Amino acid sequence: MKYAVIDRGDSLSKSLAEKFHALAAEHGFNRNDQTPEIVISIGGDGTLLQAFHTYVDQITNVAFVGIHTGHLGFYADWQADELEQLVAMMATETPRIVRYPLAQIELEMPTESRHYLSLNEFTLKGVDGTLVAQININDELFEMFRGDGIVISTPSGSTAYNKSLGGAIVHPSIESLQIAEIASINNRVYRTLGSSVLLPQHHHCDIISKKEQRIQLTIDHVSIMRSDIRSIKCCVSSRKVSFARYRPFPFWTRVREAFLGYDVH
């Protein structure tokens, strides 16, 4: 098995990474940071997002495993004190591969276009004032937006920024994107729906800049600032992210433990 480890950089995560390498060597694993089959993320959800973007160009050939070293990570199956159990199962068990939808984002500028994939969400905000944009769904006008910003989330990302904006939590088996507003302004010129919108896999939306404006883009944890964006096209990607499950951890169990804290045992 070819593997790589990405850790958060704190002392606990670093020590766990060293311990993982030692245990992996005992079981004959092959460390390969260039073309791994399994990527181990040690830290929190931010660490896993970093791991995803590190290997995004190989996303169809890589599966991720998360170990959390702080508060419960939504993408993490394992706790710090379960490292030996995880390595033993990796050595003897065939994991169940779970695949989650991704968002595909295409930025259109006057002289170029750029493509990105997002695991959690894509956020669009005005830098010097309110964001002014036209939102089209399937190439038809849907609404004229003016406000602080717009969040486009994946189902797995629906529990993050989207949830804090009042958006719905969506199971990752539903291949979709969710559009949520950040503090929209409504008047006779700019009218928005005022609630989140769920787009199915075969739909797309275009966010068209309606004035000269500096725009702050955040794709998961990666931030970009540009003043020449003409439009942004968003849709469900044909590619998916893969997670290697060595034991059951259902999505709704993650939601319950992350936000409700009920102990069912």
Side-chain angles (χ1 to χ4, degrees):
M1 176 192 300
K2 296 188 297 181
Y3 80 94
V5 174
I6 290 183
D7 67 78
R8 183 163 55 189
D10 61 288
S11 57
L12 175 58
S13 298
K14 285 182 176 180
S15 66
L16 286 172
E18 292 174 2
K19 184 177 180 180
F20 186 94
H21 289 309
L23 292 169
E26 293 177 6
H27 287 87
F29 297 175
N30 177 22
R31 181 177 178 179
N32 187 319
D33 295 335
Q34 285 71 45
T35 57
E37 299 166 288
I38 300 286
V39 175
I40 310 299
S41 166
I42 303 177
D45 283 347
T47 311
L48 197 138
L49 291 174
Q50 178 188 350
F52 168 78
H53 284 276
T54 299
Y55 292 100
V56 69
D57 292 338
Q58 305 176 47
I59 202 63
T60 56
N61 302 316
V62 172
F64 296 89
V65 175
I67 303 170
H68 61 85
T69 57
H71 298 294
L72 177 65
F74 206 84
Y75 288 113
D77 293 3
W78 300 87
Q79 299 181 39
D81 60 0
E82 297 177 314
L83 192 63
E84 292 184 5
Q85 180 185 353
L86 169 61
V87 176
M89 293 188 75
M90 290 178 67
T92 59
E93 304 288 337
T94 300
R96 175 172 173 253
I97 301 299
V98 177
R99 294 179 173 87
Y100 285 178
L102 299 170
Q104 179 175 302
I105 301 111
E106 180 179 351
L107 306 185
E108 287 291 343
M109 281 78 69
T111 58
E112 63 174 332
S113 62
R114 294 189 180 182
H115 296 80
Y116 301 91
L117 290 179
S118 172
L119 174 56
N120 253 14
E121 75 249 327
F122 161 73
T123 303
L124 182 68
K125 294 182 178 179
V127 176
D128 304 309
T130 57
L131 174 71
V132 179
Q134 176 178 324
I135 298 179
N136 290 359
I137 294 179
N138 297 337
D139 302 317
E140 292 190 359
L141 170 65
F142 181 71
E143 65 181 25
M144 297 295 295
F145 178 89
R146 182 176 181 182
D148 285 355
I150 298 166
V151 176
I152 309 289
S153 65
T154 66
S156 55
S158 68
T159 58
Y161 199 173
N162 170 78
K163 181 179 180 296
S164 71
L165 296 170
I169 294 178
V170 180
H171 193 279
S173 64
I174 302 172
E175 298 189 28
S176 59
L177 294 182
Q178 190 166 178
I179 307 171
E181 302 172 2
I182 308 173
S184 61
I185 299 170
N186 284 277
N187 52 36
R188 290 185 298 173
V189 178
Y190 299 98
R191 301 294 300 169
T192 64
L193 195 61
S195 64
S196 62
V197 175
L198 202 64
L199 299 183
Q201 181 183 21
H202 58 288
H203 289 196
H204 69 272
C205 73
D206 293 277
I207 304 170
I208 303 165
S209 179
K210 298 303 289 184
K211 69 172 186 178
E212 291 187 7
Q213 54 189 330
R214 286 198 299 163
I215 295 174
Q216 181 76 39
L217 313 166
T218 305
I219 302 164
D220 293 330
H221 67 301
V222 180
S223 291
I224 303 166
M225 185 183 299
R226 297 193 69 116
S227 58
D228 60 345
I229 294 174
R230 289 181 173 176
S231 67
I232 303 165
K233 183 174 184 176
C234 310
C235 63
V236 178
S237 175
S238 60
R239 289 177 285 177
K240 292 185 177 182
V241 63
S242 297
F243 293 94
R245 303 281 191 236
Y246 288 93
R247 61 183 180 187
F249 199 166
F251 177 76
W252 295 119
T253 302
R254 297 172 189 272
V255 172
R256 186 191 69 233
E257 292 189 2
F259 299 114
L260 302 174
Y262 293 127
D263 186 357
V264 299
H265 302 291

